[in-house]
Amino acid sequence: MEEPLVGPKPEGRPLKGHHRWKTDKQVCEVEDFRRRLKYFFMNPCEKYRARGRKPWKLTLQILKIAIITIQLVSFGLSNEMMVSFKEESLLTFKNLFLKGYNDQHRGIHTLYTKTDVYDHIHYAIDRYMNLENLTVGNHAYERVDGLYTPLSLCKEFYRNSSIFPGNETFDIDPHVEKGTITYSYRQLLSVNIYLKLRAINLQTVRHNELPDCYLFNITIIFNNHAHSGRIKTEIINDVGIYECKDWNVADTSGKNDYMLLMLDSLVIIACITSLILCSRSVKNGIQLQFEYNTFFQTYFSKPVPWADRMEFVNGWYILIIVSDTLTIAGSILKIGIQTKFLTNYDVCSILLGTATMLVWVGVIRYLGFFKKYNILILTLRAAFPNVIRFCCCAAMIYLGYCFCGWIVLGPYHDKFRTLDKVTECLFSLINGDDMYATFKAMRDKTYLVWLFSRVYLYSFISLFIYMVLSLFIALITDTYETIKSCQEDKVPVSELQAFIAECRDHPESGRYLTDNQTASCCGCFG
């Protein structure tokens, strides 16, 4: 029969390495190191009871959750006003410059005759020339050095081409040129109208923020790339945001801006402090891991399993370090946006949004100090490797269905027209969304395609909903039951935990004090 991991102390029985303690000093060293390990894996409250160590990281994380959330809400409200102004301005330009455009019909605006194309081009130019008499907004022409920026029209076309569909002959040079010379529609690719407008977003004044000045680089595109007799018209709006040159807001002192800058600075300081503390903890964990590996090889003549070594690397601290890094970068960008030196709202939103998500996810670590909550964390950690392997296998089947649906059903179904649409459609079907509409859209196709679509959709839905998802849930459930059984039976799940479990000293026992606080190592057994 195999010997226990660690024998009783009076007999000095070792781990499985057949080593016996020859002196009381060796016994003391083993017990002292076991106590160090147990202290390392204690939660902040237990460490406070063991050594009186204040839970600074815990306090700092709670503070971070509060101030980072306040920062995100403040930025989100400002970002919301910016986005709404850009979207409403784009709708305004579509109504101003696209003939016959209607807000009620948000689909593709198309033209089919040469007369329609000429009418729409002249319509857009006339509306631009009379803009200040037409618009109800605060839009104005751009001026550079006192001169108005002119509207420009550019055509894209094949360099040389002779196309005769009736004779089924053509001679074409695929190189594309740009110019204003009139060419036949058979070699015309697109007509682009470029214009620039300025505006001021005044709605921020009501929220005690300084208004921004906007430069709209508008492109009206008449797209004839398909040469199908259907020219699609659209407006692309590239927006630049700048600080207004001369401004004055009555009854304001800029106090709100200073408060926001102070909040951002506080967030940066808190995150830098948290980053230093967590990096130090990770470093200490790695050092203790090497000590544990050396200790086991010296005293028990056996290597330490890789899973046990990874327990010293606290994943929550890694999560906090990533979150702090993203928050610091996002806060610096936010300060730049508030002071109008930067205008990259999208990057700042991604950084702050991801950082806030990770901060709130990190709260689970502190819930894990309670036994009933900890089982969720243990289940997720234990099931993660198996879940990744299972998802890799399922992804192969999923991608096979994606490519098959794209090639076969793409020409007949809008949801399968492009590869990214196929992945979105199939993922929706897995979740039970929009099933009937997907089936219905294939009713009026050829019998062969209709039959294939039925086999394709029924097999996919049956395979993924009734088999893949069920196996996925069973995988996690099985891990949960295993972890729960180990907790109820109090069975250590690793050699490291079994080694630490031999230490019966409670945090309040006083045996976790440092050398400066206790008489000697061996005195702890008295």
Side-chain angles (χ1 to χ4, degrees):
M1 181 178 293
E2 194 176 18
E3 292 184 357
L5 185 63
V6 179
K9 289 187 290 185
E11 298 180 9
R13 295 176 64 186
L15 280 166
K16 303 173 187 177
H18 305 291
H19 182 90
R20 296 184 178 275
W21 318 129
K22 297 180 180 180
T23 64
D24 291 340
K25 181 179 179 181
Q26 289 179 329
V27 175
C28 182
E29 288 176 351
V30 172
E31 292 298 328
D32 184 58
F33 189 70
R34 182 183 283 117
R35 197 174 292 111
R36 282 181 59 196
L37 291 175
K38 185 172 182 179
Y39 178 80
F40 178 79
F41 288 103
M42 285 181 181
N43 63 52
C45 297
E46 291 174 339
K47 289 182 177 180
Y48 176 74
R49 293 197 298 268
R51 291 185 181 177
R53 175 181 169 181
K54 304 295 189 300
W56 295 115
K57 286 196 293 290
L58 173 60
T59 305
L60 185 59
Q61 298 310 315
I62 295 174
L63 174 64
K64 275 175 49 186
I65 290 173
I67 60 178
I68 289 178
T69 303
I70 294 173
Q71 180 196 45
L72 184 74
V73 171
S74 171
F75 179 75
L77 294 175
S78 176
N79 192 38
E80 181 182 344
M81 289 184 289
M82 181 271 298
V83 171
S84 65
F85 184 74
K86 288 170 60 176
E87 290 181 349
E88 292 180 9
S89 296
L90 179 60
L91 286 176
T92 299
F93 299 145
K94 288 182 177 181
N95 279 275
L96 284 174
F97 301 121
L98 295 183
K99 185 177 181 180
Y101 183 84
N102 190 346
D103 282 345
Q104 304 300 323
H105 180 68
R106 300 289 182 89
I108 301 175
H109 199 67
T110 57
L111 307 175
Y112 296 94
T113 65
K114 296 180 181 179
T115 303
D116 289 339
V117 175
Y118 294 135
D119 288 345
H120 278 72
I121 293 175
H122 294 152
Y123 180 85
I125 296 174
D126 290 341
R127 302 281 280 191
Y128 175 75
M129 299 299 294
N130 296 290
L131 177 69
E132 294 186 345
N133 297 325
L134 295 173
T135 181
V136 295
N138 56 7
H139 302 98
Y141 303 117
E142 184 198 33
R143 288 193 297 180
V144 178
D145 297 330
L147 300 176
Y148 289 106
T149 302
L151 173 148
S152 60
L153 186 146
C154 180
K155 297 179 181 179
E156 295 182 359
F157 47 86
Y158 291 121
R159 181 183 296 172
N160 292 308
S161 64
S162 299
I163 304 172
F164 303 99
N167 299 332
E168 298 181 353
T169 60
F170 66 89
D171 179 16
I172 190 170
D173 184 348
H175 293 88
V176 177
E177 291 187 347
K178 296 181 179 180
T180 58
I181 305 174
T182 303
Y183 284 85
S184 68
Y185 281 87
R186 291 180 178 178
Q187 66 184 103
L188 179 68
L189 291 173
S190 67
V191 178
N192 301 329
I193 300 176
Y194 302 97
L195 51 95
K196 295 184 178 181
L197 296 175
R198 289 192 175 273
I200 301 175
N201 184 6
L202 296 176
Q203 62 178 326
T204 57
V205 174
R206 294 182 285 107
H207 299 274
N208 298 319
E209 291 187 25
L210 291 178
D212 293 319
C213 288
Y214 287 68
L215 173 61
F216 297 104
N217 295 287
I218 305 168
T219 305
I220 306 174
I221 302 175
F222 298 85
N223 189 346
N224 191 40
H225 283 77
H227 288 92
S228 61
R230 182 173 183 251
I231 294 181
K232 293 178 286 187
T233 62
E234 59 179 328
I235 289 183
I236 297 177
N237 185 23
D238 184 20
V239 184
I241 305 175
Y242 306 93
E243 181 181 14
C244 296
K245 296 179 181 179
D246 186 15
W247 58 269
N248 179 41
V249 181
D251 301 327
T252 184
S253 60
K255 181 179 179 180
N256 190 61
D257 291 337
Y258 291 126
M259 294 293 291
L260 291 175
L261 290 175
M262 289 178 60
L263 175 63
D264 294 333
S265 301
L266 178 62
V267 169
I268 293 176
I269 293 173
C271 289
I272 291 176
T273 305
S274 173
L275 184 65
I276 294 173
L277 293 176
C278 292
S279 299
R280 187 189 66 176
S281 297
V282 171
K283 176 185 175 184
N284 293 337
I286 294 175
Q287 290 177 343
L288 188 59
Q289 176 203 103
F290 287 116
E291 291 182 32
Y292 177 70
N293 187 47
T294 304
F295 174 84
F296 246 62
Q297 290 179 350
T298 301
Y299 283 90
F300 305 116
S301 301
K302 60 182 300 184
V304 178
W306 181 253
D308 286 1
R309 299 185 66 174
M310 289 305 297
E311 289 194 39
F312 289 90
V313 182
N314 195 320
W316 295 110
Y317 288 150
I318 303 297
L319 183 73
I320 293 173
I321 290 173
V322 174
S323 172
D324 290 337
T325 305
L326 296 177
T327 304
I328 293 171
S331 299
I332 293 174
L333 279 179
K334 183 174 180 291
I335 292 175
I337 290 173
Q338 288 177 195
T339 54
K340 311 307 177 186
F341 288 109
L342 300 172
T343 59
N344 202 331
Y345 278 85
D346 292 337
V347 175
C348 185
S349 299
I350 292 173
L351 292 175
L352 291 182
T354 306
T356 306
M357 178 187 68
L358 295 179
V359 166
W360 280 96
V361 170
V363 176
I364 299 178
R365 172 177 182 260
Y366 302 104
L367 294 177
F369 297 152
F370 304 95
K371 185 176 180 181
K372 292 185 177 179
Y373 293 100
N374 191 43
I375 191 171
L376 170 63
I377 302 172
L378 293 176
T379 302
L380 292 175
R381 186 173 63 181
F384 184 75
N386 292 331
V387 167
I388 293 299
R389 286 190 287 268
F390 181 84
C391 289
C392 290
C393 296
M396 301 300 103
I397 305 175
Y398 187 81
L399 288 175
Y401 270 91
C402 287
F403 287 116
C404 179
W406 176 43
I407 292 299
V408 179
L409 303 181
Y412 305 98
H413 199 305
D414 183 63
K415 293 182 180 180
F416 294 84
R417 195 61 50 83
T418 60
L419 192 58
D420 60 327
K421 286 185 178 181
V422 177
T423 57
E424 295 168 359
C425 177
L426 294 184
F427 190 78
S428 298
L429 290 176
I430 293 176
N431 291 278
D433 297 334
D434 213 17
M435 284 190 180
Y436 179 74
T438 305
F439 277 96
K440 184 180 179 181
M442 298 300 300
R443 283 184 177 178
D444 299 330
K445 309 308 176 185
T446 62
Y447 177 76
L448 182 61
V449 174
W450 174 87
L451 182 62
F452 178 87
S453 68
R454 264 37 188 179
V455 175
Y456 174 86
L457 293 174
Y458 279 122
S459 63
F460 176 82
I461 293 171
S462 301
L463 178 63
F464 274 85
I465 292 182
Y466 301 122
M467 293 181 62
V468 174
L469 290 184
S470 297
L471 289 173
F472 184 83
I473 295 172
L475 188 67
I476 299 177
T477 303
D478 181 65
T479 305
Y480 172 80
E481 294 296 336
T482 303
I483 297 295
K484 185 178 179 182
S485 176
C486 291
Q487 284 194 338
E488 291 176 351
D489 298 338
K490 297 183 179 180
V491 178
V493 296
S494 67
E495 291 187 358
L496 173 63
Q497 295 181 14
F499 179 73
I500 296 174
E502 292 295 323
C503 181
R504 308 297 181 183
D505 299 329
H506 296 287
E508 299 86 352
S509 65
R511 294 187 175 184
Y512 295 93
L513 300 176
T514 59
D515 293 337
N516 296 330
Q517 299 169 309
T518 187
S520 65
C521 177
C522 294
C524 63
F525 297 102

